Amino acid sequence: MTPSQIWIAALMFAFSVVNYFDRTILSIAAPSMMKEFGLTPTSMGAVFSAFLVSYTILMTPGGRWSDRFGPRNMLAAMALGSGLLTALMPLGGIPGLGSLIGIIPGLFVIRLGFGIFTAPLYPAAARMNAITMPPLQRARVLGFVNAGAGFGGAVSPILVTAMIARFGWRPSFVMAGAAAVLLGVLWLATVPDRAVDTRVAQSPQWGVLLNNPNMRWLIGGFAALDYYEYIFFYWLYYYLGEVRKLPADDTAFYTTLPFLAWVVMMPLGGWLADHLTARFGIKRGLRWVAIGSLLVSVLGLVAALNVDDTNTLVALLSLAFGCAAVADVVFWAGVISVAGAQAGTAGGLMNTGGNLGGLLAPVVTPWVSGHLGWPWGIGLGGVICFLGALCWRGIDPAPQGRDSLPAEA
């Protein structure tokens, strides 16, 4: 890879880190906000889902805009807009919008805006990958970039806990938003708009994409995977602290470990997928990694829910979340291969389906847990993840039916 390719990959990794930090800061600040405003877990789950509503609705348009206007421009808009909305999050409470329309509606509205600007992130990154990276290194670059989500999730429990303890939750949101804005400015200043000639001017081929059975299975499988992963993103901190009754410092530390597993396992999954693809072809290479990692993840989750020792619990949760991260990057490698020049649009479609599944997890998990207990609420995610593994039996990511990689997207 050239220095410019490495720099682009590094900045996209940074986008992923900061954006997931800005996503998960709410889950870390939630206990403080719930106590201050008297909110229940179910009402806070509705605020969590506000982001997923707009994020999901705008995902496919965000992917199309990445093809039409270029991924460089969409990534810049994502960073600047999402950073601004993160910084404005305190205005959703009291004083602020909460004084006018109620706390839950106020937080909901701002979180909706955050989702709107975040939507193009991964479709744009996938399109940038397709037009700038060597074909046999795309999966590992995807793994590196998407690992930023885990890194952002890993540092947020410890860093946000310390920030809230020192500054309070309101200034913490402002500082997190400022970091995203600064990163967007750096991207605009150092990545020239050389993607102009690769923009897709024609209308997206919706019928071709949606009639492709591979796309349908990718969308369904990613919906199952996102439901599963969003349980970790939104309820792991609460589960360890409020259900398992760990002290605050231990909760922050142990919440970090599964996200560190995500950081390590996602690039490893990308490397493994590239390696097996080069040796056995893209169909078997991607399918083996996806199915194997998802099955191990489910087994790890089931085992975790049946142990009492905290260290063993967190080790098994880390295994489960890390293996889910491996499958995550394989889905993105698959959609790039299937869609070719429509990678941004197709990535948006897949991520839309994914977040339709993820949209349910913040609300369904506490609802099921309230009726049957937290092991059942979290265990439901394992059942859905298993269904996602089965979807790969119907996916053939080889372009135009060839079990090989295209020279370019």
Side-chain angles (χ1 to χ4, degrees), residues 12 20 28 80 101 132 137 147 164 181 200 202 281 308 320 326 346-347 360:
M12 289 195 296
Y20 260 83
I28 309 303
L80 298 174
I101 61 175
T132 60
Q137 294 188 11
I164 292 174
V181 171
V200 181
Q202 70 268 25
D308 295 322
V326 171
L360 300 175

Side-chain angles (χ1 to χ4, degrees), residues 38-94:
L39 306 178
T40 66
T42 301
S43 62
M44 199 67 204
V47 177
F48 290 159
S49 291
F51 159 76
L52 295 176
V53 169
S54 55
Y55 183 66
T56 300
I57 293 173
L58 271 294
M59 185 64 61
T60 298
R64 169 55 187 157
W65 296 333
S66 299
D67 288 336
R68 178 65 182 87
F69 301 110
R72 184 253 191 186
N73 298 329
M74 293 309 301
L75 285 170
M78 179 279 305
L80 298 174
S82 64
L84 177 62
L85 268 296
T86 298
L88 292 176
M89 191 65 184
L91 294 180
I94 297 174

Side-chain angles (χ1 to χ4, degrees), residues 220-229 231 294 298 301 331 354 357-358 360-361 364-365 368 376-391:
F222 204 61
L225 178 60
D226 264 17
Y227 181 98
Y228 182 66
E229 290 178 329
I231 294 174
L294 289 174
V298 172
L301 181 72
F331 272 98
L360 300 175
V364 172
T365 301
V368 173
W376 287 97
I378 295 175
L380 176 61
V383 174
I384 294 173
C385 182
F386 178 76
L387 296 177
L390 295 181
C391 288

Side-chain angles (χ1 to χ4, degrees), residues 3-13 128 132-133 145 187 191:
S4 63
Q5 289 172 325
I6 294 172
W7 177 244
I8 289 172
L11 285 180
M12 289 195 296
F13 171 83
M128 199 76 181
T132 60
M133 302 299 166
V145 171
W187 172 266
V191 178

Side-chain angles (χ1 to χ4, degrees), residues 274-306:
D274 281 340
H275 178 74
L276 293 180
T277 293
R279 186 170 180 180
F280 299 105
I282 192 170
K283 178 179 178 179
R284 286 178 290 178
L286 296 188
R287 181 180 287 178
W288 290 351
V289 175
I291 293 177
S293 61
L294 289 174
L295 293 180
V296 173
S297 182
V298 172
L299 291 175
L301 181 72
V302 172
L305 295 175
N306 288 279

